[in-house]
Amino acid sequence: MGHLLNEPIRAEHDPAGRLTGYEWRGSRYAVDAVLKTYGSSPEALVYRVRINGDDGVAIAELSRDADRWRIRHLFSA
């Protein structure tokens, strides 16, 4: 079962622009893999990612609208 959050995050990217991690609620989460992306515009996409953090491995759904990022859903893995 997932948790609907819709909270802002600070996304991190490598020099090539790939999503590598994010900070949320004072903790950092590393993106292990981008599992899926979808959306109607290159500037407004949703990323489903496998993450690794202090609480272990999980699946998160992150949304990007221009330069603003949010965590939409969090699923236990």
Side-chain angles (χ1 to χ4, degrees):
M1 172 89 45
H3 300 282
L4 177 62
L5 300 164
N6 199 30
E7 296 179 16
I9 60 170
R10 189 181 70 76
E12 301 170 354
H13 302 85
D14 67 8
R18 290 181 297 255
L19 181 64
T20 58
Y22 64 91
E23 287 186 18
W24 172 59
R25 293 183 179 178
S27 296
R28 184 183 183 285
Y29 299 87
V31 172
D32 292 335
V34 176
L35 305 174
K36 182 177 183 177
T37 61
Y38 53 95
S40 58
S41 163
E43 292 186 13
L45 291 174
V46 175
Y47 295 76
R48 185 165 291 172
V49 296
R50 183 175 56 239
I51 59 170
N52 206 339
D54 292 340
D55 298 330
V57 177
I59 304 296
E61 206 168 69
L62 310 176
S63 66
R64 177 177 65 104
D65 184 10
D67 62 345
R68 293 174 297 161
W69 286 83
R70 300 183 79 73
I71 182 167
R72 292 171 30 136
H73 294 91
L74 186 61
F75 305 93
S76 57

